């Protein structure tokens, strides 16, 4: 009887232990620290944790740890994250680089003119709050988390999640566990000086690493039994490694975080610390090695991880349906937060008309173009999809208070010579959507350019432009011969002329088929050029005035521009068509008769392989009638200057040395980017220029002018820096050209 009772007791005990074990379940929380590019090691560590079978019940992250953690919590596997980040261009992501093809025509002109832009509100020079607004980061996160965009409580994500940010006004940490997930993560990673602060719930937030770079206590407070921490924080650097202000800023913040980690490490059950001393917070180009360092560090804990997994219940993961479409159908746009700008202005910058089907790429570029205006501090958006897979876009904007800017640039070329530009720009001067800009240019030649523009987006925008250009250069005697009433015969081959142009335009323009810009307007032009080399005028001054006339015209234009780079294009196409009808004249030109001038230019760029590209252009222009007016003829020659009137660059010849009322020109350039932003190129140029080439058929009889050139170009923050050597077979002479900085 005793034996039977003993056996029953053992069986009951075993059953009880077995049941207790079956009911046993350990909750595991993950802590992912900040560390910039070093945070890619989190992906490697998560790979090993996944393979060990550990079920993660909560994730808390800061900065880069928040980015990786949010995506993992949204349902991505570590392998998927590795693939995503290998395909990400971090340079573009961090700098908020906006592809040139995505910008409006006005933004293209602005971006390719000024080297330095500073806030100038109330006539006080300020400085930007960060090098980047983080808009590209937000765009990427929005796309990657679109499948959970309706979730506002982060505890309802496939894996509950929170991230840490810092309130810049009081230095306290802020736990972000609800709201807009991409916005929260962007705030957590808003590294001071690199990214602008993010506003959430009226709090100004920056990188969470400033207050709490390793939120172990906060994860433990979520009821976690086991904490696995992945620490990718910097160690203190020696003086030899502190090479920039950014390094010093990171070092100062590390004083506290390293001290805090002494206690936080004790609170971590499995502390994974990858060997990443040889990497920096911006070593994104070494991402593959950084991920591998996370794998290696986590592998040393493989046995402990497997043991934890054996103490957890196996719960089948819900299959996450990721957004796989490349396009999105937007049936309606709702905009919140606009007071100073109109709905049409916003949609025009987005290049969006509803209902419409757009690619995510085009939509992101539109968002970045809206951000590039500088008129909005925050741009948040969400898509709400209905049963028909049609989306309503909610655009939440916060307008910028800044309305004035001070801008600078410098340039050198062989025609205008040196020029230093100071610009003052005022937005919302008289009405919403307007902008007034004044360029003052000093150097070898004084110039100015004033622009007032009312941007109406897809509707008709209105602009007024007033500019004055002046230069002094040598020209062959044949250049001024058409401006003499009698035959000119002098014992010289060339003379120096002073050329000035004062132009005022009022125009209206609109987007045509979303990619072209079409415009109409009226123009007043006062054209004057003279030489002090020969002759005496009516006031007995030693000079000869060749032109001094006011011209009045109506004009129209059509433009298309999808070049990825206007100076060294690798892809894209270009078209510009211009038609001027000169109606009236007043001044030296007494025999004026109305006449039209038409010109057009086509261009196409294509990358042949790797970094080797070809760029071809063809252009031409002609004048009908108006033989008595020669001062508006086409003039070819020179390189590197901003085109004005009908003065057009042509390598192999000195500036404005060829002249005629008709011209045809074509250029083929092969460019090789030997290393980033450094270009070597070779070109071939051909042209015909003369009078009435189409009427006489001379344009097809042969090539009158040609040249070959080789050059080196460098893309800098001040603009392109170029030097070119060119040879003309017809002249049997060579020319050197130097063009430095943006052209204005």
């Amino acid at each position: 009887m005793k034996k039977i009772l003993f056996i029953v007791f053992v069986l009951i005990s075993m059953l009880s232990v077995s049941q207790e074990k079956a009911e046993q379940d350990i909750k595991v929380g993950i802590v992912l620290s900040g560390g910039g590019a070093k945070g890619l090691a989190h992906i490697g560590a998560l790979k090993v944790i996944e393979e060990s079978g550990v079920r993660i019940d909560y994730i808390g992250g800061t900065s880069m740890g928040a980015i990786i953690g949010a995506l993992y919590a949204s349902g991505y596997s570590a392998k998927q994250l590795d693939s995503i980040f290998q395909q990400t261009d971090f340079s573009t992501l961090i700098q908020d680089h906006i592809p040139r093809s995505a910008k409006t025509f006005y933004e293209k002109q602005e971006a390719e003119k000024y080297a330095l832009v500073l806030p100038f509100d109330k006539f006080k020079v300020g400085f930007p709050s960060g090098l980047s607004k983080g808009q590209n980061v937000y765009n990427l996160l929005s796309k990657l988390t679109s499948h959970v965009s309706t979730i506002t409580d982060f505890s309802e994500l496939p894996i509950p999640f929170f991230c840490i940010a810092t309130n810049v006004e009081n230095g306290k940490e802020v736990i972000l566990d609800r709201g807009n997930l991409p916005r929260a993560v962007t705030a957590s990673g808003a590294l001071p000086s690199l990214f602008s602060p993010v506003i959430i719930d009226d709090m100004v937030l920056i990188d969470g690493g400033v207050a709490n770079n390793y939120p172990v206590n906060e994860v433990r407070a979520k009821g976690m039994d086991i904490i696995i921490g992945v620490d990718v924080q910097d160690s203190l650097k020696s003086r030899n490694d502190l090479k920039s202000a950014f390094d010093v800023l990171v070092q100062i913040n590390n004083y506290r975080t390293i001290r805090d980690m002494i206690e936080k490490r004790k609170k971590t059950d499995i502390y994974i610390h990858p060997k990443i001393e040889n990497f920096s917070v911006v070593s994104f180009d070494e991402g593959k090695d950084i991920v591998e360092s996370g794998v290696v560090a986590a592998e040393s804990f493989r046995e402990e991880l497997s043991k934890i997994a054996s103490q957890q219940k196996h719960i089948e993961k819900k299959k996450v349906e990721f957004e796989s479409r490349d396009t999105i159908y937007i049936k309606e746009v709702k905009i919140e937060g606009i007071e100073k700008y109109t709905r049409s202005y916003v949609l025009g910058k987005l290049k969006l008309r509803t209902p419409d089907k757009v690619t995510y790429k085009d939509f992101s570029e539109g968002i970045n173009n809206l951000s590039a205006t500088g008129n909005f501090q925050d741009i948040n958006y969400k898509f709400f999809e209905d049963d028909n897979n049609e989306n309503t876009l909610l655009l939440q904007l916060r307008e910028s208070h800044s309305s004035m800017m001070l801008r600078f640039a410098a340039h050198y070329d062989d025609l205008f010579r040196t020029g230093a530009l100071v610009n003052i720009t005022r937005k919302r001067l008289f009405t919403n959507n307007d902008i007034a800009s004044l360029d003052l240019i000093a150097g070898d030649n004084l110039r100015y350019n004033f622009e007032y523009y009312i941007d109406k987006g897809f509707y008709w925008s209105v602009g007024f432009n007033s500019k004055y250009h002046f230069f002094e250069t040598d020209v062959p005697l044949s250049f001024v011969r058409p401006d003499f009433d009698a035959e000119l015969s002098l014992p010289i081959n060339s003379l120096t002329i002073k050329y000035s142009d004062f132009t005022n335009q009022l125009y209206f323009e609109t987007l045509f088929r979303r990619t072209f810009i079409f415009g109409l307007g009226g123009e007043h032009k006062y054209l004057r050029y003279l030489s002090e080399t020969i002759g005496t005028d009516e006031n007995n001054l030693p000079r000869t005035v060749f032109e001094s006339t006011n011209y009045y015209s109506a004009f129209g234009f059509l433009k298309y521009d999808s070049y990825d780079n206007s100076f060294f294009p690798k892809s894209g196409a270009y078209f510009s068509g211009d038609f001027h009808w000169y109606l009236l004249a007043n001044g030296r030109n007494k025999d004026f008769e109305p006449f039209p001038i038409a010109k057009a230019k086509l261009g196409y760029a294509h990358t042949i392989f790797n970094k080797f590209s070809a760029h071809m252009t063809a252009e031409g222009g002609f004048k009908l009638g108006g033989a008595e007016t020669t001062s508006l003829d086409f003039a070819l020659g020179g390189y590197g200057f901003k085109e004005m009137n009908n003065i057009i660059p042509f390598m192999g010849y000195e500036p404005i040395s060829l002249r005629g009322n008709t011209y045809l020109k074509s250029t083929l350039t092969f460019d090789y980017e030997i290393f980033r932003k450094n270009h070597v190129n070779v070109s071939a140029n051909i042209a015909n220029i003369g009078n009435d080439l189409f009427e006489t058929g001379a344009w097809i009889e042969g090539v009158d002018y040609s040249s070959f050139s080789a050059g080196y170009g460098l893309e800098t923050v001040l603009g392109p820096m170029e030097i070119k050597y060119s040879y003309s077979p017809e002249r049997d002479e060579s020319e050197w050209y130097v063009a430095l900085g943006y052209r204005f």
Side-chain angles (χ1 to χ4, degrees), residues 497-515:
I497 65 167
K498 294 183 177 181
Y499 187 105
S500 60
D501 172 90
F502 174 56
T503 300
N504 300 288
Q505 293 179 331
L506 178 66
Y507 60 93
F508 302 85
E509 65 181 26
T510 186
L511 286 174
F512 176 66
R513 294 187 179 274
R514 293 184 60 184
T515 54

Side-chain angles (χ1 to χ4, degrees), residues 83 114 128 133 138 149 182 202 254 332 368 560 615 668 672 713:
S83 178
Y114 306 110
K133 291 182 180 180
Y138 181 87
S149 61
D202 203 34
N254 285 343
E332 184 184 4
N368 274 339
Y560 172 82
H615 178 214
L668 177 62
Y672 181 67

Side-chain angles (χ1 to χ4, degrees), residues 167-178:
N167 187 324
V168 75
E169 294 181 296
N170 56 29
K172 295 181 179 179
E173 71 174 70
V174 177
I175 298 177
L176 300 173
D177 56 7
R178 61 186 61 250

Side-chain angles (χ1 to χ4, degrees), residues 666-734:
S666 185
T667 302
L668 177 62
T669 300
F670 292 102
D671 181 280
Y672 181 67
E673 190 174 6
I674 51 175
F675 40 90
R676 182 173 169 78
K677 296 187 176 182
N678 287 259
H679 302 259
V680 292
N681 46 61
V682 294
S683 300
N685 310 261
I686 58 173
N688 279 353
I689 184 168
N691 290 328
D692 307 320
L693 296 183
F694 293 132
E695 288 87 341
T696 61
W699 68 281
I700 58 173
E701 292 179 356
V703 175
D704 294 332
Y705 307 100
S706 65
S707 70
F708 304 92
S709 67
Y712 173 81
L714 175 65
E715 297 178 66
T716 74
V717 294
L718 300 177
M721 306 293 178
E722 297 181 89
I723 182 169
K724 288 183 179 288
Y725 170 81
S726 184
Y727 172 76
S728 170
E730 290 77 23
R731 298 174 63 208
D732 193 23
E733 292 184 23
S734 60

